[in-house]
Amino acid sequence: MVNPLVALVVFLVVVLALGVVFWPRTGLAARAARRSSHSERVRVEDAIKHCLTVETAGRRATLESLAGALEIPRGEAAKLAERLTELDLARAEEGALALSDAGRQWALRIVRSHRLWERYLADRTGVEPAEWHAEAERLEHQLSEADAERLSAMMGHPLVDPHGDPIPTAAGDLPAARGIALPSLPPGVSARVTHVEDEPAETFHRLVRAGLTPPAMLTRLEAPGNRVHVRIDGVEHEFDALAAGGVTVEPLAEGEEGDTVTAHATLASLAPGTSARVLRLAPACQGPQRRRLLDLGVVPGTVITAEFASAAGDPVAYRIRGALIALRRRHAEWIVVEPMDGEAAA
Amino acid sequence: MSPSTFAPRPRKAPELVQLGVRGGTRHDILVALAGNPNTGKSTVFNALTGLRQHTGNWPGKTVTRAEGTFTHAGKRIRLVDLPGTYSLQAGSSDEEVARDFLLFGEPDVTLVVLDATRLERNLNLALQVLEITDKVVICLNLMDEAKRHGIAIDPAQLERELGVPVVAAAARQRVGIPEVLEKIEGVASGRITTRPFRVRQHPAEVEAALAALVPEVEEAFPGIPNARWIALRLLNADARVEDAVRAGAIGGIAPADGADPAAGARVLEAARNQRWRLSPTFHDSLMESIYAAAERIAAASELRGLRKGKFDLDRTLDRLLTSRRTGLPLMLLLLAAVFWITIAGANVPSRLLADLLLGTVHPGLKGLAAAIGTPGWISGLLLDGVYLASAWVVSVMLPPMAIFFPLFTLLEDFGYLPRVAFNLDKMFQRVGAHGKQALTMCMGFGCNAAGVVATRVIDSPRERLVAIITNNFSLCNGRWPTQILMATIFVGALVPAHLAGLASATAVVGVAVLGILAMFLSSWLLTRSALRGEATSFSLELPPYRPPRVLQTLYTSMIDRTLIVLWRALVFAVPAGAVIWLVANVHLGGASIAEHAIRLLDPVGILVGLNGVILLAYVVAIPANEIVIPTVLMLTVLSGDMSGGAGAGVMFELGTPAEVGTLLGAAGWTALTGINLMLFSLLHNPCSTTIYTIYQETRSVKWTAVATLMPLVMGFTVCFLVAQLWRLVAGW
């Protein structure tokens, strides 16, 4: 019989070894896979994508901006720029990089892949919204043109990604984002968000958390200096000009009324026995869950009554279109409602 | 996630018609049966087809398909039961299957079952069906339920609103069924003409796009009845509809000779142009207009003003069964009652069956075989091997299942089970699973294969997979004898005699609870790793309570659950029995295969605190947990060259646990062996019936492999660790 102490030690060593090699993201296997994917093609594609993004925003790509966006030292950025010129994808003009036609076409394809992947992750998988961008960054380089077309077809040729950005067509058309940059919006004016830059990631997440995703409505408020104050859904937020610059808004048209003053309630805040009318589903609600809610009748105008909570407090049973449906708190928070006064609907 | 995982295959025209309609028996009328989940659709199906049904899978999918044929007024009618869906937007496999069949399977009539107690929500599906086809009959079911809840619906008014025949029915009592048949025949033959209601009022931008697109569709496919629906689907860039338009095979109109293939391309081009003009959330507003229409129609057809009685039974029951104070205790009480009735009630019948099949029939058969001069090996193989294994499985499996499943089905019929899922969902949420997993877990305590089948009630793909893979940790019926025996012999022996009974009972319950904990842990692990990206959505409908039909339930649960699982188990037990006998009686180089295997497996076995006999028994008894102990006893006697037992290759059991204890003790078993056997019995791979069922339900080799190997790895690891720690502490 084997000495139990020896057996345990061997077991621990084996488990540790397996952990070191196979641990997700930080394990040796994961690192090796990442290294092999950081090939030159990936760098080149990231570079031209950056150039395209910057050009669409009306600015010019420089070595500094390239180094900052790709998080590489300036020396490497210079070498990368050289490579782009070699490959005829960009030209160096007066200290800036300008995309050639071939470069623009290629960059559009990358953007298309990126946004298609985000749409896929949002609609067909349970991956968390915070991870869509990072996953798509990784996957965009692995999609061939034919595969991109198949992916698009499978999802019904979506027009926009889950953040509201238009998806370039296979032919390379990309409608320009309508509107102006948020810092250019005069104070006191209400506007609708049409586009949010997804780089840098930190800023992007902050903007999303504050609710600045298409098609949210906001009102710019007076603020000193370079700060940008906005009010969304009754809540005031503050950003510096740089962060706000990544948000494109379209002033509301004549006769369009926007209400950014009232803080809206969500279904989750409804006490048992009370009713509310649905206003809309939050933009964060995407994919299979959104479809399920729509199918069950959670559409604008529906009156929902909270009936009773479960023994554990969550989920809560709601009367929706005559049926008793239990929804989790997490999902009820996505349903924006307008509380109704008076007794619960019979 | 690789790009190759999602390539849809474009369908060719003839294939579209073949979609799921089996060849074989001819029929005169093909009827599709559609409806929301929980509308009594299956009751309507059963009422129409009786037992003349066939169940299978939709081609290429994991969705179940049932169809049946019957004759009415001289015509053969084939009824295809579509999956219960809330909508036809093709967001899930179920919806895709239903939508594809309605669009491309060309049924002569579509029968839509609506729940009278939830008319407004049900109308969503009805209106979507009416957009696709003219030939619809509505069965307004559960009218008796509606009456009890103070809801009265005027079928004639509903018929006027919808423009198709509406039959009021209560399928449970077979009320309205003849009228349904009559209407089906009428619509199919053209005797009844329909003028279906079509949602006219879509949002302005959608109407504008349709105004531009519908003429194109009608020009390319003249005479098509549902041009508006096709245009809507094209605006949604529905891949299947696009393929069909491209191929020219829409709505039963086969491409005429010399048909202009460019017509389809023109339509698609026009659709694409229109799409860019629409706002991204126009799909939401489509649902809005459908529901606005549903609301109006329901309001017009429902007779309001009927007050329910002062005493609302449903509300009171819900308050009782889901409140913080009374909900959980009542639930535990009910479940404990179900288990207690099962165990207590199955005891005597199991004993009787065992005495009959093993004590009387077996010797009788052996005597008969000897009398007609059958060679020893045939008699041994067939009677001692195959027959004994099967008899054991039946006598252990049948009585508990025959009690447990009907009880469970009664609770389900009553409407209580969704409340259990409702109460427990919070716990399951935390590990990434669905509240309904509590129900499938309970079913698993009866039989794991039945538990896996029960996961069909979970309609979210990720949660369903988690429930399937972790179902094995529910301690099924077949493993209880092993647990009880080992606990009595080995755990009972560790404590003073007057506490022995209590100790062993606690040990068995402890193992069951450990199984539940293992289930939670593995659910958590799976949703964090292998199942991280799978699609998930949650909704739980709480249907109204209804008085269960006891006799009907007993009958259907016997057929659907008990007998089918029993049949599958027997199918696997037969070869197992043969293998067991052969392994013990075929000799190679002086010793039987069994002895060789035991000697080979002993080192590994002892390392993990078991032994070679146990490992071999688990290998050959993969088909059924019920025969593990008898096999162990047989192998122990065989390898230990001991007296006792009934011969080589003949499984047996002893009268009292004490006798078993003596035998095993003589073979070198210790308390560690007994306890580790209990742990391994909980944490080993599923039985072959369950593995087969998992494959049938998932159609995926990958997940079947995970479900098989994960518990096995856990079992070995746990036994290994327990053995080392035990030996460290107790001295080896």
Side-chain angles (χ1 to χ4, degrees):
Chain A
M1 215 184 320
V2 181
N3 183 330
L5 212 50
V6 171
L8 277 174
V9 168
V10 170
F11 177 75
L12 276 165
V13 167
V14 168
V15 167
L16 272 165
L18 285 173
V20 163
V21 173
F22 289 110
W23 199 259
R25 271 186 261 269
T26 46
L28 294 176
R31 286 196 204 204
R34 261 211 305 279
R35 210 164 308 146
S36 72
S37 77
H38 271 175
S39 60
E40 183 195 77
R41 186 171 66 83
V42 170
R43 298 289 202 93
V44 164
E45 288 183 346
D46 281 340
I48 53 177
K49 198 170 75 143
H50 166 77
C51 293
L52 180 68
T53 320
V54 154
E55 279 182 24
T56 319
R59 302 194 298 271
R60 312 269 269 145
T62 61
L63 283 184
E64 280 76 23
S65 69
L66 189 62
L70 267 60
E71 290 173 7
I72 51 178
R74 199 178 179 288
E76 278 195 46
K79 273 192 271 188
L80 197 49
E82 241 183 76
R83 189 82 184 104
L84 287 182
T85 326
E86 265 174 51
L87 291 169
D88 232 358
L89 297 172
R91 293 182 307 276
E93 276 177 6
E94 302 152 12
L97 273 174
L99 281 175
S100 68
D101 282 338
R104 179 162 296 111
Q105 285 303 312
W106 192 343
L108 275 170
R109 280 206 298 277
I110 306 295
V111 170
R112 175 172 156 81
S113 302
H114 180 97
R115 293 182 179 168
L116 280 174
W117 272 122
E118 285 199 352
R119 181 90 261 164
Y120 175 77
L121 292 172
D123 279 358
R124 300 292 170 113
T125 73
V127 175
E128 294 292 311
E131 298 182 32
W132 292 339
H133 181 67
E135 282 289 316
E137 276 291 300
R138 198 174 53 84
L139 292 164
E140 67 192 4
H141 303 288
Q142 299 168 11
L143 206 59
S144 71
E145 257 188 273
D147 283 338
E149 188 57 28
R150 271 208 289 281
L151 180 56
S152 180
M154 185 194 82
M155 291 190 292
H157 294 300
L159 294 172
V160 289
D161 77 1
H163 302 124
D165 289 325
I167 300 178
T169 62
D173 300 316
L174 178 63
R178 310 185 300 272
I180 55 178
L182 179 55
S184 316
L185 188 71
V189 178
S190 297
R192 179 177 287 114
V193 178
T194 55
H195 169 77
V196 179
E197 269 309 311
D198 48 19
E199 300 275 2
E202 270 274 331
T203 315
F204 177 62
H205 286 310
R206 255 189 48 208
L207 292 171
V208 169
R209 266 200 301 276
L212 268 86
T213 40
M217 267 194 295
L218 54 76
T219 308
R220 177 126 189 238
L221 307 171
E222 286 286 348
N226 240 358
R227 311 292 297 173
V228 176
H229 277 226
V230 295
R231 188 179 58 220
I232 302 179
D233 263 350
V235 182
E236 292 188 15
H237 300 274
E238 180 189 317
F239 303 99
D240 60 75
L242 195 60
V247 181
T248 314
V249 299
E250 188 180 32
L252 296 182
E254 279 296 314
E256 249 192 298
E257 287 233 359
D259 178 13
T260 65
V261 181
T262 338
H264 290 302
T266 63
L267 194 64
S269 57
L270 213 59
T274 57
S275 307
R277 176 170 288 115
V278 176
L279 289 175
R280 61 176 180 274
L281 288 174
C285 180
Q286 296 278 357
Q289 190 63 45
R290 187 192 189 89
R291 277 197 293 276
R292 173 50 54 86
L293 288 175
L294 289 172
D295 286 342
L296 289 174
V298 183
V299 292
T302 305
V303 174
I304 301 184
T305 310
E307 296 271 346
F308 52 86
S310 84
D314 177 20
V316 174
Y318 299 95
R319 184 138 326 252
I320 305 176
R321 300 276 178 179
L324 201 55
I325 311 277
L327 295 176
R328 289 176 173 167
R329 183 179 190 81
R330 209 174 43 198
H331 301 144
E333 281 170 357
W334 283 338
I335 304 174
V336 180
V337 300
E338 175 185 33
M340 289 165 56
D341 301 316
E343 286 297 305
Chain B
M1 225 164 327
S2 71
S4 59
T5 53
F6 55 77
R9 209 165 43 91
R11 290 199 176 266
K12 306 186 210 359
E15 245 185 77
L16 292 170
V17 178
Q18 291 299 315
L19 250 176
V21 182
R22 276 167 75 239
T25 47
R26 291 223 8 88
H27 57 265
D28 299 308
I29 306 180
L30 179 63
V31 181
L33 181 60
N36 278 187
N38 273 320
T39 46
K41 184 159 68 72
S42 45
T43 317
V44 172
F45 183 70
N46 288 331
L48 288 172
T49 59
L51 278 178
R52 295 172 294 270
Q53 312 173 356
H54 169 92
T55 342
N57 277 76
W58 288 87
K61 299 249 198 264
T62 62
V63 183
T64 332
R65 172 199 166 103
E67 61 173 68
T69 42
F70 55 95
T71 324
H72 169 75
K75 306 248 184 82
R76 276 188 73 73
I77 303 185
R78 174 185 287 176
L79 185 63
V80 175
D81 188 14
L82 301 178
T85 57
Y86 291 114
S87 159
L88 293 177
Q89 304 294 329
S92 65
S93 292
D94 282 2
E95 292 179 3
E96 253 180 56
V97 162
R99 196 273 313 267
D100 282 353
F101 189 79
L102 289 179
L103 193 58
F104 305 125
E106 298 170 25
D108 296 305
V109 179
T110 303
L111 178 62
V112 183
V113 178
L114 301 182
D115 181 347
T117 62
R118 290 168 280 183
L119 185 60
E120 205 173 312
R121 212 275 309 292
N122 278 238
L123 278 175
N124 173 23
L125 180 67
L127 291 175
Q128 289 187 37
V129 172
L130 286 174
E131 295 274 330
I132 301 181
T133 163
D134 279 2
K135 303 210 168 220
V136 174
V137 172
I138 304 273
C139 173
L140 190 59
N141 200 19
L142 298 172
M143 291 294 277
D144 50 340
E145 292 297 317
K147 192 152 144 209
R148 269 192 329 108
H149 287 89
I151 302 172
I153 304 187
D154 182 4
Q157 178 63 20
L158 191 59
E159 183 163 333
R160 277 193 290 276
E161 295 279 347
L162 292 177
V164 293
V166 172
V167 178
R172 282 172 130 208
Q173 279 80 4
R174 301 201 60 109
V175 168
I177 299 297
E179 285 87 349
V180 167
L181 283 170
E182 190 235 315
K183 297 291 184 196
I184 290 179
E185 193 271 322
V187 170
S189 64
R191 182 168 54 80
I192 303 177
T193 48
T194 61
R195 290 183 56 245
F197 170 84
R198 297 263 150 84
V199 177
R200 286 286 142 206
Q201 226 20 60
H202 284 307
E205 58 170 355
V206 178
E207 287 292 343
L210 283 176
L213 193 50
V214 168
E216 297 267 358
V217 175
E218 284 173 336
E219 190 190 314
F221 303 103
I224 201 172
N226 48 8
R228 206 172 136 85
W229 188 86
I230 303 235
L232 261 176
R233 294 320 298 164
L234 287 176
L235 286 178
N236 270 303
D238 187 317
R240 292 259 210 272
V241 175
E242 280 186 350
D243 285 346
V245 166
R246 201 172 291 123
I250 276 277
I253 298 176
D257 294 316
D260 183 8
R266 269 202 306 277
V267 172
L268 291 176
E269 180 68 36
R272 204 157 298 168
N273 287 335
Q274 292 302 321
R275 287 189 71 224
W276 276 115
R277 312 234 179 102
L278 296 169
S279 67
T281 51
F282 84 94
H283 174 74
D284 290 9
S285 40
L286 275 182
M287 292 302 290
E288 254 183 277
S289 42
I290 293 183
Y291 266 107
E295 193 173 335
R296 189 188 55 74
I297 296 177
S301 318
E302 273 186 42
L303 298 170
R304 306 267 177 187
L306 278 161
R307 284 289 101 218
K308 312 172 194 146
K310 291 186 292 282
F311 181 67
D312 189 349
L313 185 62
D314 267 31
R315 277 238 170 97
T316 319
L317 272 173
D318 268 328
R319 213 169 296 142
L320 209 67
L321 294 169
T322 62
S323 83
R324 180 158 272 148
R325 271 194 338 250
T326 52
L328 285 175
L330 275 175
M331 188 182 73
L332 289 171
L333 209 68
L334 260 165
L335 289 176
V338 167
F339 280 112
W340 188 85
I341 297 178
T342 308
I343 300 179
N347 227 355
V348 171
S350 265
R351 226 354 64 204
L352 286 176
L353 258 180
D355 285 343
L356 175 69
L357 292 175
L358 304 167
T360 314
V361 175
H362 182 237
L365 283 176
K366 294 279 295 186
L368 186 65
I372 62 175
T374 334
W377 69 271
I378 291 191
S379 149
L381 183 65
L382 291 178
L383 296 178
D384 292 328
V386 172
Y387 175 79
L388 268 187
S390 317
W392 232 296
V393 167
V394 170
S395 63
V396 175
M397 237 196 162
L398 189 57
M401 284 214 301
I403 301 176
F404 185 79
F405 288 152
L407 282 178
F408 223 68
T409 317
L410 274 175
L411 285 177
E412 186 180 30
D413 229 26
F414 174 55
Y416 176 60
L417 291 187
R419 271 81 181 171
V420 172
F422 183 58
N423 280 332
L424 295 175
D425 183 63
K426 189 157 185 196
M427 263 197 308
F428 284 86
Q429 237 188 93
R430 289 224 193 94
V431 295
H434 194 294
K436 285 187 182 169
Q437 189 166 317
L439 305 173
T440 62
M441 185 185 80
C442 283
M443 284 294 276
F445 275 98
C447 171
N448 288 131
V452 168
V453 171
T455 61
R456 285 183 195 161
V457 296
I458 302 177
D459 51 16
S460 167
R462 185 180 83 168
E463 277 75 357
R464 187 160 175 233
L465 269 174
V466 171
I468 289 179
I469 296 175
T470 59
N471 194 275
N472 185 54
F473 296 119
S474 300
L475 202 62
C476 72
N477 261 339
R479 297 186 254 180
W480 293 355
T482 313
Q483 298 288 336
I484 296 175
L485 188 63
M486 289 296 113
T488 314
I489 298 176
F490 291 101
V491 176
L494 292 175
V495 299
H498 63 278
L499 288 175
L502 185 63
S504 40
T506 315
V508 176
V509 170
V511 169
V513 168
L514 189 67
I516 298 179
L517 289 174
M519 181 207 70
F520 275 111
L521 180 68
S522 44
S523 301
W524 184 81
L525 277 171
L526 282 169
T527 49
R528 290 255 175 305
S529 57
L531 288 172
R532 203 167 64 92
E534 296 280 332
T536 165
S537 72
F538 178 85
S539 71
L540 178 62
E541 186 155 359
L542 301 177
Y545 292 103
R546 40 183 85 128
R549 304 154 296 161
V550 181
L551 287 176
Q552 285 265 43
T553 307
L554 288 176
Y555 180 67
T556 35
S557 68
M558 283 294 286
I559 303 270
D560 279 346
R561 288 182 167 153
T562 313
L563 286 181
I564 291 191
V565 178
L566 191 63
W567 169 248
R568 272 191 192 168
L570 276 178
V571 164
F572 286 104
V574 162
V579 166
I580 292 174
W581 191 87
L582 286 172
V583 144
N585 283 287
V586 171
H587 294 265
L588 289 176
S592 60
I593 300 181
E595 288 168 292
H596 285 296
I598 292 173
R599 217 167 309 150
L600 207 68
L601 292 169
D602 247 348
V604 177
I606 299 200
L607 179 65
V608 295
L610 300 167
N611 56 43
V613 164
I614 297 177
L615 290 183
L616 179 61
Y618 268 103
V619 169
V620 297
I622 255 192
N625 284 290
E626 290 83 357
I627 49 181
V628 165
I629 288 289
T631 312
V632 161
L633 291 176
M634 182 272 287
L635 289 174
T636 308
V637 166
L638 184 73
S639 64
D641 232 354
M642 300 182 215
S643 62
V650 185
M651 299 178 283
F652 68 98
E653 52 178 15
L654 293 169
T656 66
E659 291 176 47
V660 178
T662 321
L663 175 59
L664 294 177
W669 286 45
T670 65
L672 173 64
T673 323
I675 291 179
N676 265 12
L677 178 52
M678 287 174 78
L679 289 174
F680 193 69
S681 159
L682 174 72
L683 295 172
H684 74 281
N685 54 286
C687 69
S688 53
T689 314
T690 309
I691 297 178
Y692 174 70
T693 311
I694 293 177
Y695 181 70
Q696 290 283 79
E697 294 294 312
T698 60
R699 294 255 168 234
S700 153
V701 175
K702 170 179 167 196
W703 293 121
T704 313
V706 170
T708 311
L709 296 174
M710 187 184 76
L712 195 60
V713 168
M714 280 176 80
F716 271 112
T717 313
V718 167
C719 286
F720 171 80
L721 289 173
V722 167
Q724 309 317 316
L725 290 171
W726 181 287
R727 286 176 186 147
L728 270 180
V729 167
W732 59 292

